Amino acid sequence: MNGERENKRGASNSPVAVISFCWTILFIAVLLLIYLSNHSPEVEATRGMIELGPAVSLNSAPLSSFSVIDTTLIRVEDDGVAVFDTMGKEQSYAAFPYHSSRHFMSQDTLFVTPEQGGGLMLVTADGINHETGIHETVYGADYQEGLVLCFGASAQGQMMAGLFDVERGTYLFVINFDSLEWPLGASFVPNNNAFDLLLLDLSTGNPVTKILRYDLEGSLIFDQAFGEDELFPIIVPLGNDALCLLNEDTILLFIPETKTIDRETITGKPIRWQVSGGRLVMLVEQEGILSLTLFQPKADPDGSMFLSFEALSAIEDFAIVREGSHWIAAQNEELWLIDAQTGQILARQSTDAKVKKILPLDSHHCWIMFEKEARLLTIR
């Protein structure tokens, strides 16, 4: 009887245990659903928003030899330039007309000059090679709609700048400088029939940085000096007729229309930068660590022109995509898709190797360069 009574007690406790077990499972399931609801968008974004394609061998070519003209990947060699399709296959090769040459990029144009002496060849965004009739030694240039803006030294050693018509094969005009005036940079003004020359003026005995703006007829529009004993060797048009001047620790924002100049100290050393939407995105080095910093005109007169994102540190390289609304950045064998307005990381993609270089092709594609191979990144 006692055994029967004990069995009945055991039977009477079983439903309670089952109900408790079910409630425990239900509670765990609710917690799991809450967790998934908070985290699944990031997982889905990581899987769907960015995707790496198959590897393409670099064939032992140095990473520094790869660039992009408009939406085309190119490889610049000592004696010519190779053009690739989006699958990484070489499509064409153009030889340089010089025995030994040097090259530089400006906007979407590749400029090639002889190592010694005068001459200039350019490869434009349409893939056409132009060997110009320029005989001066060219130090820098910009290109816009059939016009080459260049500066350098004449055969007599005099510093000059000129506007060259590629189709006609002749200069529209030439500007000659005194022996104590040295042009440092030249660029067309976006959406304006004008160009800017960055000039180092030593005529007063102290180095003075100047911007000279000319129209396309060669008439001087303004001559703006920026203090003494300070050199700003880099000029960056921001758009909307705003200009940035840079050196290693200071940035100036110059508005030609109002002649206002804002100055701010750069925290770290600028390594690389790109312009997007009137803002300057900078890769800055500080104590050996690279981070992304945003520079833009002040919204508040008492505020800073710099905006830094704490999460975007230890960056190895970056690129602007989607018409400037997003960035792609590499960090610690991982690629990030970043909202350019907030700095929020929207998606992540593992690379299993350190990224050496990012080359944006268009709004939705980048070439991701590794030590020995490249992979095409697609942004959904």
Side-chain angles (χ1 to χ4, degrees), residues 201-215:
D201 188 351
L202 302 172
S203 60
T204 64
N206 295 313
V208 177
T209 302
K210 289 184 175 182
I211 290 180
L212 309 180
R213 175 165 291 184
Y214 292 86
D215 64 23

Side-chain angles (χ1 to χ4, degrees), residues 84-98:
F84 296 84
D85 63 15
T86 55
M87 301 301 294
K89 295 181 179 180
E90 184 174 327
Q91 296 298 299
S92 62
Y93 186 86
F96 297 151
Y98 314 116

Side-chain angles (χ1 to χ4, degrees), residues 95-98 100-106 109-124 128-143 146-152 160 162-166 169 171 188:
F96 297 151
Y98 314 116
S100 179
S101 62
R102 65 182 186 89
H103 68 273
F104 57 91
M105 294 283 298
S106 179
T109 304
L110 172 70
F111 293 94
V112 184
T113 67
E115 192 71 41
Q116 295 182 342
L120 180 68
M121 170 188 172
L122 58 148
V123 181
T124 53
I128 299 176
N129 309 321
H130 305 272
E131 186 178 355
T132 69
I134 293 175
H135 301 297
E136 288 74 21
T137 300
V138 177
Y139 298 145
D142 196 8
Y143 178 78
L147 297 177
V148 173
L149 171 64
C150 63
F151 66 91
M160 54 74 63
L163 192 63
F164 188 88
D165 188 311
V166 175
Y171 280 105
F188 287 101

Side-chain angles (χ1 to χ4, degrees), residues 17 27 36 42 87 113 135 144 156 192 200 213 224 231 246 255 263 271 275 284-285 291 315 318 322 361 368:
F27 180 74
L36 290 176
E42 183 177 350
M87 301 301 294
T113 67
H135 301 297
Q144 174 182 283
Q156 293 74 36
N192 196 331
L200 173 62
R213 175 165 291 184
Q224 177 69 46
L231 175 61
L246 297 168
I255 310 297
R263 168 191 294 265
I271 301 298
V275 174
V284 177
E285 180 182 5
S291 60
I315 299 295
F318 80 100
R322 285 186 172 175
L361 280 183
I368 308 300

